[in-house]
Amino acid sequence: MAPTSSPTPSHGVAAGTVLTGHHLVTAQDDEAFRALCAIASAVPLTGAVPGTVAPAQLAAVALRMCERLLEPGPASRDRVALHGTQRLRVERAAAVGEPLLSRAEIRSVRPLGAGTATEVAVALTAGDGSPVAQSVSLLVHSPGPAARRAPAPARPAAPKDARRSSYTVTRELVRRYAELSGDHNPIHLSPEAARAGGFDDLIAHGMLTFALMAHHLAGAVGEADRAELQVRFAWPLMVPAEGATLTVHDLPAAGGTLAVTAVDGAGLPVAGGRATPCRPPTGTRT
């Protein structure tokens, strides 16, 4: 996508802006992140690669860089930030405790209604410069609740032969994800703030949904056999006081990919996308 710019980006940061950083996922961090997904699932995970960072945690690290790059300024204090799409490509697994470098760059800023849509790419590399993963996020900044009063998407019929995983998402789980990820957006933590933003109730982080979709894939096919996960967030996952249900299913698609969908307890599609397979040569570390 060619960089474009709106006259006044709602976050005040122009296309081409770059931020670099250093990261290290400790064993404690990794254990806490994987435990978070396990808490939501009734089925133990069997596809994780021991001693490596969960792919969704790499995406969370990258998204934190996006948020640092777009730190709220005077132009965005009254705007609501939402996650539109997320793509993560893993070149190789990162070892727990391995130092990582990141480079975040705003690829484009374009008008979207009364707000803006910003695409940010984050490259994660090892200390020697070799690639580990790339994340591309589309973040939408809107000026108020009216921007989110869109019709709910249709309820598709779930394929009978799809593999399924069911997750229970509670407000406590959302709070714990906020602590682990550093994403303390009030719409994820306060029902009042969420309603002020135009939602019926507190909503889960898009990246928590992404993490649970990746957790499903790890259990279905193993972490080592997925190179890329692309997700479009279609509808927020509302989390009332009694909690919410998220069901993830996958089906084979063209080119050896998997079509992955997440729906809420009412059957509304929360997110959908595809996972691209990767089968490295025998003897190659994944």
Side-chain angles (χ1 to χ4, degrees):
M1 182 185 296
T4 59
S5 62
S6 65
T8 308
S10 56
H11 44 68
V13 188
T17 304
V18 172
L19 179 68
T20 58
H22 297 76
H23 313 274
L24 188 148
V25 178
T26 67
Q28 183 177 4
D29 294 335
D30 181 68
E31 182 180 351
F33 190 91
R34 291 188 183 276
L36 188 78
C37 296
I39 289 170
S41 176
V43 180
L45 177 65
T46 58
V49 181
T52 65
V53 179
Q57 189 165 14
L58 293 177
V61 168
L63 184 64
R64 184 60 188 140
M65 284 296 293
C66 295
E67 293 166 344
R68 286 180 55 197
L69 191 56
L70 303 176
E71 285 290 346
S76 61
R77 286 174 184 164
D78 297 326
R79 303 201 173 220
V80 177
L82 293 174
H83 209 148
T85 63
Q86 176 64 42
R87 175 166 63 88
L88 176 71
R89 178 171 182 81
V90 178
E91 302 295 343
R92 70 159 176 84
V96 171
E98 177 183 5
L100 298 175
L101 306 177
S102 64
R103 182 183 187 275
E105 179 177 5
I106 298 180
R107 284 185 172 178
S108 66
V109 181
R110 59 182 176 82
L112 183 64
T116 53
T118 305
E119 186 181 68
V120 185
V122 181
L124 296 174
T125 60
D128 61 2
S130 60
V132 173
Q134 183 184 59
S135 167
V136 180
S137 305
L138 183 68
L139 305 174
V140 178
H141 294 77
S142 300
R148 265 161 312 289
R149 292 300 186 187
R155 295 172 172 81
K160 293 182 179 179
D161 54 346
R163 287 177 295 200
R164 290 177 176 79
S165 298
S166 182
Y167 300 93
T168 299
V169 180
T170 63
R171 289 182 176 179
E172 173 61 16
L173 193 79
V174 173
R175 186 196 66 77
R176 290 180 62 173
Y177 182 82
E179 292 296 327
L180 286 173
S181 66
D183 183 350
H184 298 282
N185 188 331
I187 61 177
H188 303 309
L189 301 172
S190 163
E192 293 75 22
R195 292 187 186 105
F199 304 102
D200 294 334
D201 211 325
L202 178 155
I203 65 172
H205 301 74
M207 288 303 287
L208 177 54
T209 295
F210 185 90
L212 295 177
M213 293 174 80
H215 185 272
H216 162 82
L217 289 169
V221 297
E223 285 179 348
D225 289 334
R226 299 295 103 182
E228 183 172 290
L229 177 58
Q230 301 184 55
V231 170
R232 178 178 295 276
F233 300 101
W235 189 251
L237 178 64
M238 307 289 176
V239 186
E242 63 273 20
T245 298
L246 185 76
T247 301
V248 182
H249 67 256
D250 73 86
L251 280 171
T257 65
L258 292 175
V260 191
T261 304
V263 301
D264 66 13
L268 290 173
V270 172
R274 65 177 184 178
T276 303
C278 174
R279 293 178 176 81
T282 303
T284 299
R285 182 190 175 196
T286 61

